[in-house]
Amino acid sequence: MDTMELEGRVALVTGAGATGGIGFEIARALRREGARVLISGRDAERGEATCRALGGGTRFLLANLADVGQVRRLAEEAGEVDVLVNNAAGISFWPTAEQPLDEYEMVFATNVRAPYFLTSALAPGMVARGGGSIVNLSTVAAGLGTPGVSVYAASKAALESLTRTWAAEYGPHGVRVNTVAPGPIESEKVLILMGETIEEVGRESPLGRVGRTAEVAETVAFLACPRAGYVSGACIPVDGGRSAV
Ligand SMILES: NC(=O)c1ccc[n+]([C@@H]2O[C@H](COP(=O)([O-])OP(=O)(O)OC[C@H]3O[C@@H](n4cnc5c(N)ncnc54)[C@H](OP(=O)(O)O)[C@@H]3O)[C@@H](O)[C@H]2O)c1
């Protein structure tokens, strides 16, 4: 089997400008498939260090995705993109009655509006070149009622809905669009944020543990590759079975 299915292709992974996140592992997995990988982030110094950690074939692009002007500039700077991974996400965890408006706006701007306008800018190029793949990162929380995560979960549910619409819009032109919905994954930021609690959350799933960033990345890379050629409009949980029980 050809192990470099993305040779000659260009991938853009948002929110991959640090080494401890899921985005970094996605960038690594897409490099292994032979793609040139553009990574976007909010800190140039950290982003360049991440590129060095990834080795050759990568380029860092600076963009705060909460700002739609910077989303549009990112799409322009990226140019022709064959694989778009909407991985960056803002979080805001509050009981509904205490939700600050600015964080509400930031979460929807980053998690819904940015993927929306990146897709609207980059998908036409994929169509013109005869195909492409878009992968949106959601969360198991989008399909569960969990107190305190209303805005984050709703933004990801919106993104899952967009996956289905885009699969319908772009499928006839050879562009596949899918969602990956992780359960608790031990990315650096989550470990800092949740500490030991994440282990408890992991125990709620049938597999009884938290997931690894590389396990999410493998699924994203599969969906990005031609070997997933008949998969579109799907939402694939990478959650140890949590969403099934
Ligand atoms: N880890 C989990 O347990 C888990 C579970 C379910 C779903 N997910 C999803 O998986 C994806 C990756 O999560 P992760 O755990 O790797 O978290 P992470 O390390 O916090 O990664 C999120 C990335 O998004 C970037 N980002 C946030 N706001 C941004 C903005 N306004 N503009 C540009 N970039 C922005 C962050 O940049 P900075 O580095 O500059 O902050 C960071 O690189 C997210 O979509 C998340 O919702 C994660």
Side-chain angles (χ1 to χ4, degrees), residues 15 22 42 46 64-65 87 89 138 152 156 183 185 187 189:
I22 291 171
R42 289 186 289 186
R46 201 150 40 89
N64 179 349
L65 299 178
N87 167 76
S138 179
Y152 174 69
K156 294 295 195 173
I185 306 296
S187 64
K189 198 97 59 77

Side-chain angles (χ1 to χ4, degrees), residues 179-193:
T179 300
V180 169
I185 306 296
E186 50 185 8
S187 64
E188 202 171 277
K189 198 97 59 77
V190 163
L191 285 174
I192 293 167
L193 222 86

Side-chain angles (χ1 to χ4, degrees), residues 142-211:
L144 303 169
T146 313
V149 302
S150 54
V151 171
Y152 174 69
S155 73
K156 294 295 195 173
L159 190 56
E160 290 186 13
S161 170
L162 288 171
T163 292
R164 292 187 289 272
T165 304
W166 292 335
E169 271 187 35
Y170 296 115
H173 308 284
V175 179
R176 296 180 297 102
V177 189
N178 292 287
T179 300
V180 169
I185 306 296
E186 50 185 8
S187 64
E188 202 171 277
K189 198 97 59 77
V190 163
L191 285 174
I192 293 167
L193 222 86
M194 295 182 67
E196 309 250 302
T197 342
I198 190 160
E199 299 293 336
E200 281 167 39
V201 180
R203 277 194 284 276
E204 289 168 14
S205 75
L207 292 183
R209 65 167 175 88
V210 295

Side-chain angles (χ1 to χ4, degrees), residues 85-184:
V85 182
N86 287 308
N87 167 76
I91 52 173
S92 172
F93 297 151
W94 293 93
T96 301
E98 293 164 35
Q99 178 66 47
L101 176 62
D102 59 342
E103 289 190 18
Y104 179 105
E105 307 278 19
M106 176 278 290
V107 167
F108 271 86
T110 310
N111 302 3
V112 184
R113 189 175 65 189
Y116 190 98
F117 285 101
L118 274 180
T119 298
S120 102
L122 297 174
M126 296 180 192
V127 169
R129 290 186 300 281
S133 173
I134 298 170
V135 183
N136 295 321
L137 270 289
S138 179
T139 167
V140 65
L144 303 169
T146 313
V149 302
S150 54
V151 171
Y152 174 69
S155 73
K156 294 295 195 173
L159 190 56
E160 290 186 13
S161 170
L162 288 171
T163 292
R164 292 187 289 272
T165 304
W166 292 335
E169 271 187 35
Y170 296 115
H173 308 284
V175 179
R176 296 180 297 102
V177 189
N178 292 287
T179 300
V180 169

Side-chain angles (χ1 to χ4, degrees), residues 9-118:
R9 306 283 180 204
V10 177
L12 169 61
V13 184
T14 65
T19 51
I22 291 171
F24 176 73
E25 283 302 330
I26 293 172
R28 270 222 308 210
L30 296 176
R31 279 296 299 139
R32 279 197 299 275
E33 295 291 346
R36 274 201 305 121
V37 182
L38 309 172
I39 60 172
S40 91
R42 289 186 289 186
D43 183 307
E45 215 170 289
R46 201 150 40 89
E48 295 301 344
T50 307
C51 275
R52 285 194 294 279
L54 286 164
T58 57
R59 185 154 73 96
F60 176 73
L61 299 171
L62 185 68
N64 179 349
L65 299 178
D67 174 342
V68 75
Q70 294 190 40
V71 171
R72 292 209 158 101
R73 196 188 62 206
L74 172 63
E76 271 171 34
E77 286 176 358
E80 293 189 351
V81 168
D82 306 292
V83 172
L84 169 64
V85 182
N86 287 308
N87 167 76
I91 52 173
S92 172
F93 297 151
W94 293 93
T96 301
E98 293 164 35
Q99 178 66 47
L101 176 62
D102 59 342
E103 289 190 18
Y104 179 105
E105 307 278 19
M106 176 278 290
V107 167
F108 271 86
T110 310
N111 302 3
V112 184
R113 189 175 65 189
Y116 190 98
F117 285 101
L118 274 180

